[in-house]
Amino acid sequence: PRILPLPEWRRIEEGLRQRVLALNMFIDDVYHEQRAFKDGIVPHEILATSKNFRPECMGVSPAHGVWAHICGSDLVRDRDGTVYVLEDNLRVPSGVSYMLENRQVTKRSFPELFRRARILPVDDYPLQLHAMLASVSPRAGDRSQIVVLTPGIYNSAYYEHSYLAQRMGVELVTGADLFVDDDDRVQMRTISGPRRVDVIYRRVDDLFLDPEAFRPDSMLGVPGLMRAWRAGTVALVNAPGAGVADDKVVYTYVPALIRYYLDAEPILPNVPSYRCAFPQEREHVLANMDKLVVKAANESGGYGLLIGPHATQAERAAFADAVRADPRNYMAQPMLTLSTVPTVVGHRVAPRHVDLRPFILSGERTDVTAGGLTRVALVEGSTVVNSSQGGGSKDTWVVDLNGRSA
């Protein structure tokens, strides 16, 4: 397991709460007054060219002002020990089931350590998730019907969808299981007749949620779902349109947004970044492609990424052409020396690069998982930790050296 001392974790936790609060305020601002753009904090062109801005969400006010109810922010530690935020995942963040399963495996493997050590728990995440979902329901009380909406069994994260639904004790549904009635309420088809749905934890991307509002060819969503959401009869988690802040170019403005909305200095720093939309910064990136990591604004899973020091000349040239063709869509960062942790590789222990993805739940209250998911680059020397690129994961222990055993 990866071990973090509790005092260091408390600072990280505070920084994540601050960051998610500012991001939710920004998203709410985007779909209402757009003050951050009028006041010059973020250039309006960033919004005008955003691939995840949804005009259909203008004027909607989700419960508690929260749009990104579940956030997975990726953290890295550089050679000087500084913990940086590498990116924020606000659309449909995944990986929490690995965190929970890793903990179960280590508990079974090292039961005596859990009896002696003071390790903060993560097992209560499904309860925290259920409580957050219930807190945004348009119907108060125990009557709220919560479902997990999955694209289906062929989705790469289907295991997580079914795992979380089972752990929360709620229904796992596909778009075909739901319909919107004449009163703009979402109903679930059951053998005993329709049952009203209050909260949908959706694991379907925005553009496939509702064929009436977005892609008419979508077979994964529910016709009329956006009408119901706008009418306030159902809560969608995460809210449609939250991805406007899940943009690697918007990421570069988050420290300024924290100062703007919260009148505070960021607790967790960003990785220094260059925005290719600005000519001077773009020229620096193009002149130093062999030293930088260049990222497309809206890709994930380790795709749309050039690791300059490890790329071929042909790969760097192709990426340079892409940057020149669409500079708004690219940003770059220096190549960090990610921290390593001991990892069992075959029959030996060897260092492997890691990052950390804590999960932040925002509803009536905000909860941060104790540690989160440590992702591991299993290939020697690699810094790509994404599971879709062959990465693995570890249990993360937040250890309280002075308190009681958890």
Side-chain angles (χ1 to χ4, degrees), residues 288-334:
N288 294 275
M289 296 283 279
D290 60 331
K291 303 180 185 71
L292 299 171
V293 177
V294 187
K295 301 178 180 180
N298 293 289
E299 295 290 342
S300 60
Y303 297 100
L305 180 75
L306 176 83
I307 302 177
H310 300 161
T312 65
Q313 183 60 40
E315 289 170 336
R316 289 196 291 266
F319 237 78
D321 290 341
V323 169
R324 293 188 187 98
D326 186 8
R328 155 50 177 111
N329 193 45
Y330 291 92
M331 54 86 77
Q333 297 169 328

Side-chain angles (χ1 to χ4, degrees), residues 2 4 8 11-12 74-86 268-272 293 333-341 353-356 383:
R2 180 186 192 175
L4 295 172
E8 180 183 26
R11 178 180 171 276
I12 293 172
D74 294 339
L75 310 178
V76 294
R77 191 195 303 276
D78 198 8
R79 67 171 70 198
D80 63 358
T82 302
V83 174
Y84 292 97
V85 179
L86 187 63
L268 297 175
N270 273 17
V271 178
V293 177
Q333 297 169 328
M335 180 77 177
L336 297 182
T337 305
L338 301 189
S339 60
T340 61
V341 296
H353 293 292
V354 295
D355 78 353
L356 178 64
T383 57

Side-chain angles (χ1 to χ4, degrees), residues 3-7 118-120 398-404:
I3 297 174
L4 295 172
L6 182 60
R118 302 177 180 93
I119 303 164
L120 268 62
V398 175
V399 181
D400 181 3
L401 300 176
N402 300 310
R404 294 180 177 179

Side-chain angles (χ1 to χ4, degrees), residues 338 353-355 375-377 382-392:
L338 301 189
H353 293 292
V354 295
D355 78 353
R375 301 188 301 172
V376 187
S382 173
T383 57
V384 180
V385 299
N386 307 78
S387 59
S388 57
Q389 304 291 317

Side-chain angles (χ1 to χ4, degrees), residues 3 35 71 108 153 155-156 163 282 290 292-293 305 328 364 388:
I3 297 174
R35 292 185 296 115
C71 175
R108 289 196 296 268
I153 61 173
N155 184 269
S156 60
Y163 179 90
R282 179 169 67 250
D290 60 331
L292 299 171
V293 177
L305 180 75
R328 155 50 177 111
E364 193 172 31
S388 57

Side-chain angles (χ1 to χ4, degrees), residues 22 25-26 29 33-42 253-265:
M25 293 176 74
F26 170 67
D29 190 18
E33 298 178 6
Q34 301 188 353
R35 292 185 296 115
F37 302 95
K38 295 172 183 175
D39 291 342
I41 307 303
V42 181
Y253 292 94
V254 173
L257 294 173
I258 291 172
R259 297 184 186 102
Y260 179 68
Y261 291 117
L262 305 179
D263 192 25
E265 284 299 308

